[in-house]
Amino acid sequence: EQAQREIVRLRSLDRSVLAQNQAALDRVADLEGEGGHQAARLAALRQCKTSVSRELHRAAQDCAEINHSNLVTAADNKRLHTAADKLAEKLEGVNAERLKFRDAGERSRAETAASQDQLTDFETKLRGVRSSAFSSLAAGTGGQVMAGRKFALRDT
């Protein structure tokens, strides 16, 4: 009887071990399936990493080119600012000369106007003197012709 109990216990233990062994084999199969899935995922991640590395390398090259372009542009801008400053100085000089010529022109116009006024006054006086001389001449000759000549003064 004791041997019988021992056989039953051993058979039960054997079934338990077999069940645990089958569970372990099922778990190993699940893990292998998951491992295959993980390996595929790892391969995809490695491919993605390679692609990202290439993109980073291209971006670094683009950044280096942009930095070089920025340095060239900065140097060009410095030259342009220097040229603009020189041009501004020249424009200030030209503007000062223009103002001098404008002032000289205004003075010349004022002097011309004053000269024109003096000329007009002189012409008015000259007409008066001519008229007076003609009147005196006419009064002195009685308006007659002397020796075949007419005396007349022209206005100029």
Side-chain angles (χ1 to χ4, degrees), residues 103-119:
D103 292 344
E106 288 175 3
R107 279 192 307 275
S108 177
R109 281 189 289 281
E111 289 171 0
T112 300
S115 294
Q116 188 64 40
D117 290 345
Q118 289 175 350
L119 182 59

Side-chain angles (χ1 to χ4, degrees), residues 93-136:
V94 167
N95 194 39
E97 287 298 315
R98 185 186 61 81
L99 290 174
K100 285 180 191 176
F101 283 123
R102 187 190 69 190
D103 292 344
E106 288 175 3
R107 279 192 307 275
S108 177
R109 281 189 289 281
E111 289 171 0
T112 300
S115 294
Q116 188 64 40
D117 290 345
Q118 289 175 350
L119 182 59
T120 302
D121 289 347
F122 179 73
E123 286 175 345
T124 303
K125 289 177 186 177
L126 183 59
R127 280 191 203 106
V129 168
R130 283 185 180 169
S131 179
S132 177
F134 183 70
S135 295
S136 295

